[in-house]
Amino acid sequence: MQPLKIGQAAREAGIGVETIRFYERKGLVPQPPRPRDGGARDYGGDTLWRLKFISGAKKLGFSLAEIAELLELRTAPNAGCGEMQTKARAKRNDIQARIEGLVRMRNVLDELIATCPGHGEIRQCSIVDAIEGNGTN
Amino acid sequence: MQPLKIGQAAREAGIGVETIRFYERKGLVPQPPRPRDGGARDYGGDTLWRLKFISGAKKLGFSLAEIAELLELRTAPNAGCGEMQTKARAKRNDIQARIEGLVRMRNVLDELIATCPGHGEIRQCSIVDAIEGNGTN
DNA sequence: TTAACCTCCGTATCATGATACGGTGTCAAG
DNA sequence: CTTGACACCGTATCATGATACGGAGGTTAA
């Protein structure tokens, strides 16, 4: 199996080459070893998997720090599944809270959209007034 | 009516004084004129309204750039309610997509937590596959 | 063999959204 | 009349998440 080069991996993960190097510097993915023959590094296998994982988690709104934690859930020493379970639970609650915040946001927007007539002058737009009220809370 | 000073306005809008100045530099709010008598600027009226609007819109997940557009809509001569509604809808769909991703993530984590025996290797945990799948899309 | 296109690496720069710092001025209470 | 709390202003710094640049070298295909 010939090496998956960084450009290839970038395309597969839907990110940029520079971004991969950035993740390496951040320690989110290990930099694959350079082959003895001096060719390009191999970004396939686990490295590609991690890149895809990061890309996916980012789309869900996780920060790189959080993604690092998620990755640790898996990378951790085989010994204790219990500790991992605890971490997973904490992360689940994190996510649940985030969902609830977003649902509230969505509901407010739904209400605004429903109330707005959708035509006429902006002066009478109920959305504008409602957003202002939202700031005071 | 005596002038609403910047500190007062900041408290009313629920933001910091430095943040107001930052918004001024960004052009999101005009800097109120300094009175001829040399006292403090008046951050009441429309300025306060804008600060509250910004604060409220931020809570709904709008970026400052988006908020600038929303504010312009209001100032525009023949701006309609329709445009405002369109933007609100777009943001709503944005948020909805994020919610759906997070719900998937939460469900996978729930499954992991339920399936995990509490001991042994974490490698078989399925949490990660779902996230990875999300990255490829 | 020469152009096009990569890899590799260090360093620099950018965008976003603030927050902090330092100095000056003003005002009001004690 | 001094102390303290602000206002005002320019500039600096921060965190996060990238993206760009420059130059050396490798690979490939016309």
Side-chain angles (χ1 to χ4, degrees):
Chain A
M1 195 162 137
Q2 44 206 9
L4 188 75
K5 289 190 276 184
I6 193 167
Q8 239 62 43
R11 251 163 274 136
E12 283 211 36
I15 60 181
V17 167
E18 301 298 331
T19 305
I20 292 179
R21 297 211 208 275
F22 170 70
Y23 291 160
E24 286 174 348
R25 289 196 294 274
K26 287 259 142 180
L28 285 172
V29 295
Q31 186 180 49
R34 209 164 178 184
R36 260 95 39 239
D37 63 33
R41 297 169 190 279
D42 184 3
Y43 281 83
D46 185 64
T47 305
L48 178 60
W49 184 88
R50 274 167 177 263
L51 292 172
K52 284 185 178 176
F53 182 92
I54 294 167
S55 172
K58 260 181 30 87
K59 287 192 185 122
L60 298 184
F62 288 95
S63 70
L64 294 189
E66 288 167 331
I67 292 167
E69 281 181 52
L70 290 174
L71 283 168
E72 265 176 48
L73 275 184
R74 180 171 158 278
T75 312
N78 304 359
C81 198
E83 233 179 299
M84 294 311 111
Q85 208 185 35
T86 302
K87 276 191 175 186
R89 245 187 257 279
K91 194 46 78 180
R92 191 225 107 105
N93 292 341
D94 268 17
I95 291 166
Q96 180 61 32
R98 197 182 308 222
I99 289 169
E100 280 161 18
L102 286 171
V103 164
R104 272 194 298 276
M105 269 161 61
R106 187 201 58 196
N107 291 345
V108 171
L109 281 170
D110 277 340
E111 212 182 311
L112 297 189
I113 291 161
T115 320
C116 176
H119 63 279
E121 291 195 13
I122 196 83
R123 271 168 232 307
Q124 293 143 352
C125 186
S126 52
I127 295 180
V128 176
D129 303 321
I131 292 175
E132 183 224 341
N134 196 59
T136 317
N137 306 335
Chain B
M1 194 162 142
Q2 41 206 12
L4 188 74
K5 290 189 276 185
I6 195 169
Q8 239 63 43
R11 251 160 275 139
E12 284 209 37
I15 59 181
V17 168
E18 300 298 331
T19 305
I20 292 179
R21 297 209 209 276
F22 169 70
Y23 290 159
E24 286 173 349
R25 289 194 295 273
K26 286 260 140 179
L28 286 173
V29 295
Q31 185 178 51
R34 212 165 174 181
R36 266 98 31 243
D37 64 34
R41 296 171 190 278
D42 184 3
Y43 282 82
D46 186 64
T47 305
L48 179 59
W49 183 88
R50 275 168 176 264
L51 292 172
K52 284 185 179 176
F53 183 91
I54 294 166
S55 172
K58 265 184 42 81
K59 287 192 184 124
L60 293 180
F62 290 94
S63 70
L64 292 189
E66 288 167 333
I67 291 167
E69 280 182 53
L70 294 177
L71 284 168
E72 264 176 49
L73 269 189
R74 182 172 151 273
T75 316
N78 28 331
C81 209
E83 278 178 78
M84 184 64 70
Q85 207 188 39
T86 300
K87 283 177 199 287
R89 247 188 249 281
K91 185 52 65 182
R92 190 223 106 102
N93 292 341
D94 232 52
I95 290 167
Q96 179 61 30
R98 277 201 273 158
I99 288 169
E100 280 161 19
L102 285 171
V103 164
R104 264 184 276 127
M105 181 102 168
R106 186 201 57 196
N107 291 344
V108 173
L109 273 170
D110 278 340
E111 208 185 316
L112 164 70
I113 291 161
T115 316
C116 182
H119 63 278
E121 292 194 14
I122 200 95
R123 283 189 136 54
Q124 300 127 331
C125 288
S126 54
I127 164 177
V128 197
D129 303 330
I131 306 172
E132 186 207 354
N134 196 61
T136 316
N137 304 335

